[in-house]
Amino acid sequence: MTREQEGVRYRRAQSVTRAEEIKAVEKKVRYSQPDKPCHSPRDSLFSWTSGFNNFTGFVNWAFLLLTMGSVRLLLENFIKYGIRVDPLQWIYVLTGLNDGGSGHPAIVLILYSLVPITICLVIEKALSVEIVSNTLGMLVHCLNLIALIMLPMVVIHVKDGFNLVGASAVTSFYTVLFLKLWSYIQVNMWCRRSHQKKRKSMRRSSASYTSISRSADNSFDSSSEKLETKGLVQYPDNLNLRDIFYFLCAPTLCYELNFPRTERIRKRFLIKRIFEVVAGTQIVFCVIQQYMIPSIINSLIPFSNMDVTQTTERLLKLAIPNHLTWLIFFYITFHSYLNLIGELLQFADRNFYSDWWNANNIDTFWRSWNLPVHRWAVRHLYLPVVELGFNKTLAGISVFFLSAFFHEYMVSVPLKTYKIWAFTGMMSQIPLSSFANYVEKRFGRRWGNLIVWSSLILGQPLCIMMYYHDYVVTHYGESLLEEYGHV
């Protein structure tokens, strides 16, 4: 490189500062003119280059319009349907009196869950003392888990007397129990393997004993290990009824031998959570009775006739109360109820959710909104699949597949309407995630977040309308559709 070229580059590097000086001088000269200039180079506030970001007034305006629109819908609903909130109806539904049920099969089925729990604990005890082989023990565990998840499907389909709420409670309970026992079995398998390796290494070290110094080193290592694990439960001391039932009641799906514990139960905190659960549940019942049920019923004929305009109107009308119900349900479940259980059991890990509302893509949302399930999926399914040699894409698909199965399980079994809408909705999250990632990279994080919110607001009511239509057709036939059509 020549000195002349170096000199040119040197002058260009200094030209920015020089240009700023020239502009400053020109500005000073211009403003000293007698015409009193008032213009300068500036961008409009709505331009991205303006750097303006204070839109507080628009936020207040949006909330005001939202409030006015909500009050109008409230008045319209009361004028059209009257007051539909009736606590007695919920008592009939929850007790099964409206279905003529008196045997309470849902309670019997939940109590029966003690059988697979006991089988699981007995097999683990037998494996720990090597009464049964590892192959036979794991085979019994697999059969026990399969029977556990199949039992509600068979009983609810065959046995009469199940109401919708009771059947939903049973399927949700057995789903959680299935995931917890899976974690319990897998963690004890890890501990058992580690315990067996330690015993083998101790046998080898004692067989190869050669000198006093080596013996001193071994005794020092074992004593230091004992100091580190002092006060902690060790395998197989954890295999008892108290330990497994604490885990089954704890607000987590991932088993550990030693959970973090709090020092005391905060009574004021506990009372707040109880109040939130009770009040929030009543609000959910009111919104369902007053807003959701009329909209769901009115969507039957337009959806059956595939009237796109009216179906879209019903979908949008159902979307708002359904989304409000979902938000309240999220709060009372993941904040109020799980914190209530955690406080009673002095369970210290209260990280049940993350800031899913800021998720810029579908992947981030599913990793944030339900952390107990996310931790279980990563710890007990995703990582084991990867460790078996499969790629991360297949591991992620397996997680979505299992999630889709249980979503369908908790919807189709109580309704006795075996469709695949919930399963399809969950599996469609995979291509939707790719689309959301593309939008986020192409147009920015805000647009990715809008896609997440749109899928939550519109996807759920669409699924409700499809299942209601299929439920009516399956259990009441086309004649009811014709009857509604003539009304």
Side-chain angles (χ1 to χ4, degrees), residues 87-101:
L88 291 178
Q89 290 296 326
W90 283 112
I91 295 176
Y92 294 146
V93 171
L94 294 174
T95 58
L97 295 177
N98 61 330
D99 296 331

Side-chain angles (χ1 to χ4, degrees), residues 194-213:
S194 176
H195 185 68
Q196 291 171 352
K197 286 181 180 179
K198 285 183 180 180
R199 286 197 302 175
K200 291 179 181 179
S201 63
M202 290 176 64
R203 289 172 183 172
R204 287 196 298 268
S205 62
S206 62
S208 60
Y209 172 78
T210 56
S211 64
I212 299 177
S213 60

Side-chain angles (χ1 to χ4, degrees), residues 120 124 138 141 145 181-189:
C120 178
E124 281 299 325
M138 297 309 293
H141 275 318
L145 289 178
L181 290 184
W182 180 325
S183 177
Y184 185 80
I185 294 167
Q186 199 167 25
V187 171
N188 279 297
M189 180 185 68

Side-chain angles (χ1 to χ4, degrees), residues 10-33:
Y10 178 78
R11 287 193 299 272
R12 286 179 180 174
Q14 297 294 320
S15 62
V16 176
T17 305
R18 181 60 179 167
E20 292 177 351
E21 293 178 355
I22 293 174
K23 288 182 179 179
V25 172
E26 290 178 351
K27 183 178 180 180
K28 186 176 181 180
V29 171
R30 184 168 177 273
Y31 276 91
S32 64
Q33 297 300 309

Side-chain angles (χ1 to χ4, degrees), residues 89 187 368 413 474:
Q89 290 296 326
V187 171
S368 304
V413 174
T474 302

Side-chain angles (χ1 to χ4, degrees), residues 51 74 377 422 442 469:
L74 180 69
R442 179 69 176 82
H469 172 269

